[in-house]
Amino acid sequence: LFSEITAAQERDGQRRHLVYTTGISSYGRTGVALMDENTPGNAESPIGFRFELERELAASGIDHTVVRPGFLYGGPATTSMTGQWFAEAEAGKPVFYGDVTKRWSWVHVDDLADAYVRILGNPTAVAGETFVIADDQRLTALDMQRAAVRATGRTQDIGLESAEAGGMMQLAADQDELVDSRKAHRLLGWRPRHTSFTDAPDRHYRAWKASQPRT
């Protein structure tokens, strides 16, 4: 991607501004209670390579801003953990992977979109900057999944499995991942309009359900 952007700029002389998105699971196990843009990532994280890619981008000379969102929810939830929870509940096989006490920071997809709009509204002002984008909810991931299951109308118990059983992404996220978005508040004027997935899980379930292919 970086080499293609560089080549395109050399061909047409037009500068691009790349909003490069990674995610808070890139940090891995840091031992830091509340992480921010300056928290070093753990190189042993299964997706810790994303920090190396951020460094490659910085060295490339491409105008850019890095965005590290929290866990997404809302809308179709196509790649969201909440979408996975809804699907498992409907199939009658909800499973929680890993540490039952872990907590993650989240962000509604529309709030993340608002952050992109703010960045691209004045990209020069935030060139080279990194932003963590998440709201302030602090529920355990298991409590979030319980809310998702209830929203589907199912009442079955949630099974417990190891993080390894869930695959690389579950393993990468098997720890507290709580972040502080004050830099985005200060420099972008960004504030989440949606406070928590658990405020309206039924609505989020209906949005996900409406996006599913009809059979």
Side-chain angles (χ1 to χ4, degrees):
L1 172 63
F2 304 157
S3 61
E4 288 293 332
I5 292 174
T6 300
Q9 292 181 158
E10 291 173 350
R11 283 196 304 270
D12 61 21
Q14 300 294 316
R15 299 286 296 181
R16 275 81 169 171
H17 189 99
L18 174 63
V19 182
Y20 187 63
T21 306
T22 60
I24 62 172
S25 290
S26 304
Y27 287 104
R29 296 180 183 273
T30 65
V32 177
L34 194 61
M35 301 181 293
D36 63 16
E37 293 81 1
N38 296 317
T39 304
N42 185 338
E44 295 183 0
S45 166
I47 54 176
F49 64 87
R50 290 178 173 176
F51 277 87
E52 180 58 35
L53 291 174
E54 289 182 17
R55 289 188 284 271
E56 288 183 21
L57 175 57
S60 72
I62 298 170
D63 293 339
H64 69 278
T65 303
V66 173
V67 172
R68 299 176 190 156
F71 284 68
L72 280 175
Y73 73 96
T78 306
T79 60
S80 171
M81 195 72 75
T82 60
Q84 178 179 318
W85 291 339
F86 291 145
E88 289 178 352
E90 285 202 341
K93 298 178 180 179
V95 177
F96 184 85
Y97 296 97
D99 183 356
V100 297
T101 68
K102 64 191 173 191
R103 297 176 296 162
W104 298 327
S105 288
W106 293 75
V107 63
H108 191 283
V109 64
D110 290 347
D111 288 329
L112 178 58
D114 179 55
Y116 289 143
V117 170
R118 290 171 184 272
I119 289 168
L120 292 173
N122 188 5
T124 302
V126 291
E129 297 285 357
T130 297
F131 293 100
V132 169
I133 303 294
D135 58 34
D136 295 326
Q137 57 186 306
R138 298 287 185 257
L139 293 175
T140 67
L142 181 54
D143 282 340
M144 299 277 284
Q145 185 171 3
R146 287 177 177 137
V149 172
R150 288 195 298 270
T152 69
R154 273 63 175 184
T155 59
Q156 65 267 42
D157 293 334
I158 297 173
L160 302 178
E161 296 282 355
S162 68
E164 290 82 359
M168 184 182 74
M169 295 307 295
Q170 291 286 355
L171 186 60
D174 193 34
Q175 61 271 321
D176 279 354
E177 295 181 4
L178 300 178
V179 295
D180 183 343
S181 296
R182 279 181 290 184
K183 181 178 177 181
H185 300 169
R186 186 177 70 255
L187 296 187
L188 298 177
W190 177 84
R191 296 275 178 178
R193 290 172 295 170
H194 303 79
T195 56
S196 175
F197 169 79
T198 57
D199 283 351
D202 295 347
R203 184 176 70 225
H204 301 314
Y205 170 63
R206 290 194 299 271
W208 171 83
K209 185 70 173 176
S211 72
Q212 299 305 294
R214 293 173 182 254
T215 57

PDB file of all heavy atoms in Angstrom, residues 98-120:
ATOM      1  N   GLY A  98     -11.440 -16.866  26.464  1.00  0.00           N
ATOM      2  CA  GLY A  98     -10.389 -16.243  27.253  1.00  0.00           C
ATOM      3  C   GLY A  98     -10.824 -15.749  28.615  1.00  0.00           C
ATOM      4  O   GLY A  98     -11.790 -16.233  29.217  1.00  0.00           O
ATOM      5  N   ASP A  99     -10.119 -14.731  29.080  1.00  0.00           N
ATOM      6  CA  ASP A  99     -10.257 -14.185  30.429  1.00  0.00           C
ATOM      7  C   ASP A  99     -11.630 -13.540  30.622  1.00  0.00           C
ATOM      8  O   ASP A  99     -11.961 -12.558  29.947  1.00  0.00           O
ATOM      9  CB  ASP A  99      -9.144 -13.156  30.658  1.00  0.00           C
ATOM     10  CG  ASP A  99      -9.129 -12.575  32.057  1.00  0.00           C
ATOM     11  OD1 ASP A  99     -10.027 -12.901  32.860  1.00  0.00           O
ATOM     12  OD2 ASP A  99      -8.223 -11.765  32.346  1.00  0.00           O
ATOM     13  N   VAL A 100     -12.414 -14.058  31.560  1.00  0.00           N
ATOM     14  CA  VAL A 100     -13.785 -13.561  31.749  1.00  0.00           C
ATOM     15  C   VAL A 100     -13.815 -12.203  32.423  1.00  0.00           C
ATOM     16  O   VAL A 100     -14.875 -11.561  32.473  1.00  0.00           O
ATOM     17  CB  VAL A 100     -14.628 -14.564  32.562  1.00  0.00           C
ATOM     18  CG1 VAL A 100     -14.775 -15.873  31.818  1.00  0.00           C
ATOM     19  CG2 VAL A 100     -14.027 -14.789  33.951  1.00  0.00           C
ATOM     20  N   THR A 101     -12.692 -11.739  32.951  1.00  0.00           N
ATOM     21  CA  THR A 101     -12.670 -10.439  33.626  1.00  0.00           C
ATOM     22  C   THR A 101     -12.191  -9.303  32.721  1.00  0.00           C
ATOM     23  O   THR A 101     -12.213  -8.146  33.135  1.00  0.00           O
ATOM     24  CB  THR A 101     -11.749 -10.480  34.864  1.00  0.00           C
ATOM     25  OG1 THR A 101     -10.380 -10.625  34.448  1.00  0.00           O
ATOM     26  CG2 THR A 101     -12.133 -11.629  35.789  1.00  0.00           C
ATOM     27  N   LYS A 102     -11.762  -9.603  31.511  1.00  0.00           N
ATOM     28  CA  LYS A 102     -11.161  -8.568  30.660  1.00  0.00           C
ATOM     29  C   LYS A 102     -12.194  -7.537  30.216  1.00  0.00           C
ATOM     30  O   LYS A 102     -13.377  -7.844  30.045  1.00  0.00           O
ATOM     31  CB  LYS A 102     -10.490  -9.188  29.440  1.00  0.00           C
ATOM     32  CG  LYS A 102     -11.429  -9.901  28.484  1.00  0.00           C
ATOM     33  CD  LYS A 102     -10.634 -10.697  27.464  1.00  0.00           C
ATOM     34  CE  LYS A 102     -11.544 -11.562  26.598  1.00  0.00           C
ATOM     35  NZ  LYS A 102     -10.777 -12.527  25.789  1.00  0.00           N
ATOM     36  N   ARG A 103     -11.709  -6.320  30.042  1.00  0.00           N
ATOM     37  CA  ARG A 103     -12.547  -5.199  29.603  1.00  0.00           C
ATOM     38  C   ARG A 103     -11.906  -4.550  28.385  1.00  0.00           C
ATOM     39  O   ARG A 103     -10.684  -4.426  28.301  1.00  0.00           O
ATOM     40  CB  ARG A 103     -12.701  -4.170  30.729  1.00  0.00           C
ATOM     41  CG  ARG A 103     -13.409  -4.709  31.958  1.00  0.00           C
ATOM     42  CD  ARG A 103     -13.442  -3.682  33.074  1.00  0.00           C
ATOM     43  NE  ARG A 103     -12.102  -3.350  33.540  1.00  0.00           N
ATOM     44  CZ  ARG A 103     -11.793  -2.268  34.251  1.00  0.00           C
ATOM     45  NH1 ARG A 103     -12.735  -1.392  34.560  1.00  0.00           N
ATOM     46  NH2 ARG A 103     -10.560  -2.052  34.648  1.00  0.00           N
ATOM     47  N   TRP A 104     -12.747  -4.139  27.454  1.00  0.00           N
ATOM     48  CA  TRP A 104     -12.280  -3.493  26.233  1.00  0.00           C
ATOM     49  C   TRP A 104     -12.931  -2.118  26.084  1.00  0.00           C
ATOM     50  O   TRP A 104     -14.075  -1.912  26.478  1.00  0.00           O
ATOM     51  CB  TRP A 104     -12.662  -4.324  25.003  1.00  0.00           C
ATOM     52  CG  TRP A 104     -12.078  -5.695  24.949  1.00  0.00           C
ATOM     53  CD1 TRP A 104     -10.873  -6.106  25.424  1.00  0.00           C
ATOM     54  CD2 TRP A 104     -12.691  -6.857  24.357  1.00  0.00           C
ATOM     55  NE1 TRP A 104     -10.682  -7.446  25.175  1.00  0.00           N
ATOM     56  CE2 TRP A 104     -11.783  -7.934  24.516  1.00  0.00           C
ATOM     57  CE3 TRP A 104     -13.896  -7.082  23.707  1.00  0.00           C
ATOM     58  CZ2 TRP A 104     -12.059  -9.224  24.039  1.00  0.00           C
ATOM     59  CZ3 TRP A 104     -14.170  -8.361  23.230  1.00  0.00           C
ATOM     60  CH2 TRP A 104     -13.255  -9.402  23.396  1.00  0.00           C
ATOM     61  N   SER A 105     -12.217  -1.200  25.470  1.00  0.00           N
ATOM     62  CA  SER A 105     -12.815   0.078  25.070  1.00  0.00           C
ATOM     63  C   SER A 105     -13.514  -0.101  23.719  1.00  0.00           C
ATOM     64  O   SER A 105     -13.028  -0.835  22.855  1.00  0.00           O
ATOM     65  CB  SER A 105     -11.737   1.154  24.948  1.00  0.00           C
ATOM     66  OG  SER A 105     -11.258   1.542  26.213  1.00  0.00           O
ATOM     67  N   TRP A 106     -14.621   0.586  23.553  1.00  0.00           N
ATOM     68  CA  TRP A 106     -15.469   0.424  22.361  1.00  0.00           C
ATOM     69  C   TRP A 106     -15.715   1.780  21.704  1.00  0.00           C
ATOM     70  O   TRP A 106     -15.523   2.842  22.312  1.00  0.00           O
ATOM     71  CB  TRP A 106     -16.816  -0.192  22.748  1.00  0.00           C
ATOM     72  CG  TRP A 106     -16.710  -1.607  23.230  1.00  0.00           C
ATOM     73  CD1 TRP A 106     -16.249  -2.028  24.448  1.00  0.00           C
ATOM     74  CD2 TRP A 106     -17.067  -2.784  22.505  1.00  0.00           C
ATOM     75  NE1 TRP A 106     -16.299  -3.399  24.524  1.00  0.00           N
ATOM     76  CE2 TRP A 106     -16.795  -3.893  23.347  1.00  0.00           C
ATOM     77  CE3 TRP A 106     -17.580  -3.014  21.231  1.00  0.00           C
ATOM     78  CZ2 TRP A 106     -17.028  -5.210  22.956  1.00  0.00           C
ATOM     79  CZ3 TRP A 106     -17.822  -4.330  20.838  1.00  0.00           C
ATOM     80  CH2 TRP A 106     -17.545  -5.410  21.694  1.00  0.00           C
ATOM     81  N   VAL A 107     -16.206   1.730  20.465  1.00  0.00           N
ATOM     82  CA  VAL A 107     -16.625   2.950  19.769  1.00  0.00           C
ATOM     83  C   VAL A 107     -17.696   2.589  18.746  1.00  0.00           C
ATOM     84  O   VAL A 107     -17.594   1.562  18.055  1.00  0.00           O
ATOM     85  CB  VAL A 107     -15.432   3.662  19.092  1.00  0.00           C
ATOM     86  CG1 VAL A 107     -14.794   2.803  18.003  1.00  0.00           C
ATOM     87  CG2 VAL A 107     -15.850   5.011  18.536  1.00  0.00           C
ATOM     88  N   HIS A 108     -18.748   3.402  18.694  1.00  0.00           N
ATOM     89  CA  HIS A 108     -19.800   3.206  17.691  1.00  0.00           C
ATOM     90  C   HIS A 108     -19.251   3.557  16.314  1.00  0.00           C
ATOM     91  O   HIS A 108     -18.472   4.498  16.161  1.00  0.00           O
ATOM     92  CB  HIS A 108     -21.005   4.087  18.024  1.00  0.00           C
ATOM     93  CG  HIS A 108     -22.222   3.776  17.216  1.00  0.00           C
ATOM     94  ND1 HIS A 108     -22.364   4.186  15.901  1.00  0.00           N
ATOM     95  CD2 HIS A 108     -23.363   3.098  17.533  1.00  0.00           C
ATOM     96  CE1 HIS A 108     -23.533   3.776  15.446  1.00  0.00           C
ATOM     97  NE2 HIS A 108     -24.161   3.116  16.403  1.00  0.00           N
ATOM     98  N   VAL A 109     -19.661   2.795  15.311  1.00  0.00           N
ATOM     99  CA  VAL A 109     -19.127   2.992  13.955  1.00  0.00           C
ATOM    100  C   VAL A 109     -19.369   4.419  13.452  1.00  0.00           C
ATOM    101  O   VAL A 109     -18.523   4.992  12.746  1.00  0.00           O
ATOM    102  CB  VAL A 109     -19.718   1.934  12.992  1.00  0.00           C
ATOM    103  CG1 VAL A 109     -21.225   2.091  12.859  1.00  0.00           C
ATOM    104  CG2 VAL A 109     -19.019   1.975  11.642  1.00  0.00           C
ATOM    105  N   ASP A 110     -20.496   5.039  13.821  1.00  0.00           N
ATOM    106  CA  ASP A 110     -20.767   6.407  13.375  1.00  0.00           C
ATOM    107  C   ASP A 110     -19.840   7.410  14.061  1.00  0.00           C
ATOM    108  O   ASP A 110     -19.449   8.416  13.463  1.00  0.00           O
ATOM    109  CB  ASP A 110     -22.225   6.787  13.652  1.00  0.00           C
ATOM    110  CG  ASP A 110     -23.205   6.038  12.762  1.00  0.00           C
ATOM    111  OD1 ASP A 110     -22.750   5.419  11.771  1.00  0.00           O
ATOM    112  OD2 ASP A 110     -24.409   6.074  13.050  1.00  0.00           O
ATOM    113  N   ASP A 111     -19.486   7.136  15.313  1.00  0.00           N
ATOM    114  CA  ASP A 111     -18.545   8.012  16.006  1.00  0.00           C
ATOM    115  C   ASP A 111     -17.144   7.896  15.408  1.00  0.00           C
ATOM    116  O   ASP A 111     -16.417   8.885  15.313  1.00  0.00           O
ATOM    117  CB  ASP A 111     -18.512   7.686  17.499  1.00  0.00           C
ATOM    118  CG  ASP A 111     -19.769   8.134  18.218  1.00  0.00           C
ATOM    119  OD1 ASP A 111     -20.368   9.142  17.781  1.00  0.00           O
ATOM    120  OD2 ASP A 111     -20.160   7.489  19.212  1.00  0.00           O
ATOM    121  N   LEU A 112     -16.763   6.686  15.012  1.00  0.00           N
ATOM    122  CA  LEU A 112     -15.471   6.524  14.336  1.00  0.00           C
ATOM    123  C   LEU A 112     -15.481   7.276  13.010  1.00  0.00           C
ATOM    124  O   LEU A 112     -14.507   7.954  12.656  1.00  0.00           O
ATOM    125  CB  LEU A 112     -15.180   5.047  14.110  1.00  0.00           C
ATOM    126  CG  LEU A 112     -13.874   4.735  13.373  1.00  0.00           C
ATOM    127  CD1 LEU A 112     -12.668   5.297  14.104  1.00  0.00           C
ATOM    128  CD2 LEU A 112     -13.731   3.231  13.146  1.00  0.00           C
ATOM    129  N   ALA A 113     -16.587   7.189  12.269  1.00  0.00           N
ATOM    130  CA  ALA A 113     -16.697   7.915  11.006  1.00  0.00           C
ATOM    131  C   ALA A 113     -16.549   9.419  11.225  1.00  0.00           C
ATOM    132  O   ALA A 113     -15.912  10.120  10.426  1.00  0.00           O
ATOM    133  CB  ALA A 113     -18.033   7.606  10.334  1.00  0.00           C
ATOM    134  N   ASP A 114     -17.114   9.916  12.313  1.00  0.00           N
ATOM    135  CA  ASP A 114     -16.995  11.339  12.637  1.00  0.00           C
ATOM    136  C   ASP A 114     -15.538  11.724  12.857  1.00  0.00           C
ATOM    137  O   ASP A 114     -15.103  12.808  12.455  1.00  0.00           O
ATOM    138  CB  ASP A 114     -17.827  11.658  13.878  1.00  0.00           C
ATOM    139  CG  ASP A 114     -17.717  13.115  14.289  1.00  0.00           C
ATOM    140  OD1 ASP A 114     -17.976  14.003  13.459  1.00  0.00           O
ATOM    141  OD2 ASP A 114     -17.354  13.367  15.454  1.00  0.00           O
ATOM    142  N   ALA A 115     -14.761  10.828  13.478  1.00  0.00           N
ATOM    143  CA  ALA A 115     -13.338  11.115  13.683  1.00  0.00           C
ATOM    144  C   ALA A 115     -12.614  11.225  12.332  1.00  0.00           C
ATOM    145  O   ALA A 115     -11.778  12.116  12.130  1.00  0.00           O
ATOM    146  CB  ALA A 115     -12.698  10.032  14.543  1.00  0.00           C
ATOM    147  N   TYR A 116     -12.942  10.329  11.385  1.00  0.00           N
ATOM    148  CA  TYR A 116     -12.332  10.413  10.055  1.00  0.00           C
ATOM    149  C   TYR A 116     -12.664  11.745   9.380  1.00  0.00           C
ATOM    150  O   TYR A 116     -11.805  12.380   8.759  1.00  0.00           O
ATOM    151  CB  TYR A 116     -12.833   9.269   9.162  1.00  0.00           C
ATOM    152  CG  TYR A 116     -12.316   7.898   9.525  1.00  0.00           C
ATOM    153  CD1 TYR A 116     -13.142   6.782   9.413  1.00  0.00           C
ATOM    154  CD2 TYR A 116     -11.018   7.696   9.977  1.00  0.00           C
ATOM    155  CE1 TYR A 116     -12.691   5.508   9.730  1.00  0.00           C
ATOM    156  CE2 TYR A 116     -10.558   6.434  10.301  1.00  0.00           C
ATOM    157  CZ  TYR A 116     -11.399   5.347  10.171  1.00  0.00           C
ATOM    158  OH  TYR A 116     -10.946   4.096  10.484  1.00  0.00           O
ATOM    159  N   VAL A 117     -13.923  12.144   9.484  1.00  0.00           N
ATOM    160  CA  VAL A 117     -14.337  13.409   8.865  1.00  0.00           C
ATOM    161  C   VAL A 117     -13.556  14.574   9.456  1.00  0.00           C
ATOM    162  O   VAL A 117     -13.104  15.483   8.726  1.00  0.00           O
ATOM    163  CB  VAL A 117     -15.862  13.614   9.050  1.00  0.00           C
ATOM    164  CG1 VAL A 117     -16.260  15.034   8.645  1.00  0.00           C
ATOM    165  CG2 VAL A 117     -16.637  12.592   8.227  1.00  0.00           C
ATOM    166  N   ARG A 118     -13.381  14.563  10.756  1.00  0.00           N
ATOM    167  CA  ARG A 118     -12.649  15.645  11.417  1.00  0.00           C
ATOM    168  C   ARG A 118     -11.176  15.657  10.997  1.00  0.00           C
ATOM    169  O   ARG A 118     -10.588  16.728  10.796  1.00  0.00           O
ATOM    170  CB  ARG A 118     -12.779  15.514  12.936  1.00  0.00           C
ATOM    171  CG  ARG A 118     -14.180  15.820  13.437  1.00  0.00           C
ATOM    172  CD  ARG A 118     -14.353  15.486  14.913  1.00  0.00           C
ATOM    173  NE  ARG A 118     -15.722  15.709  15.337  1.00  0.00           N
ATOM    174  CZ  ARG A 118     -16.193  16.864  15.786  1.00  0.00           C
ATOM    175  NH1 ARG A 118     -15.384  17.915  15.893  1.00  0.00           N
ATOM    176  NH2 ARG A 118     -17.461  16.992  16.137  1.00  0.00           N
ATOM    177  N   ILE A 119     -10.580  14.493  10.857  1.00  0.00           N
ATOM    178  CA  ILE A 119      -9.187  14.421  10.421  1.00  0.00           C
ATOM    179  C   ILE A 119      -9.044  14.951   8.996  1.00  0.00           C
ATOM    180  O   ILE A 119      -8.172  15.775   8.702  1.00  0.00           O
ATOM    181  CB  ILE A 119      -8.676  12.971  10.508  1.00  0.00           C
ATOM    182  CG1 ILE A 119      -8.510  12.563  11.971  1.00  0.00           C
ATOM    183  CG2 ILE A 119      -7.354  12.805   9.751  1.00  0.00           C
ATOM    184  CD1 ILE A 119      -8.293  11.068  12.172  1.00  0.00           C
ATOM    185  N   LEU A 120      -9.900  14.504   8.101  1.00  0.00           N
ATOM    186  CA  LEU A 120      -9.779  14.891   6.696  1.00  0.00           C
ATOM    187  C   LEU A 120     -10.317  16.285   6.419  1.00  0.00           C
ATOM    188  O   LEU A 120     -10.101  16.830   5.344  1.00  0.00           O
ATOM    189  CB  LEU A 120     -10.487  13.859   5.818  1.00  0.00           C
ATOM    190  CG  LEU A 120      -9.785  12.489   5.805  1.00  0.00           C
ATOM    191  CD1 LEU A 120     -10.611  11.456   5.064  1.00  0.00           C
ATOM    192  CD2 LEU A 120      -8.401  12.606   5.180  1.00  0.00           C
TER     193      LEU A 120
END
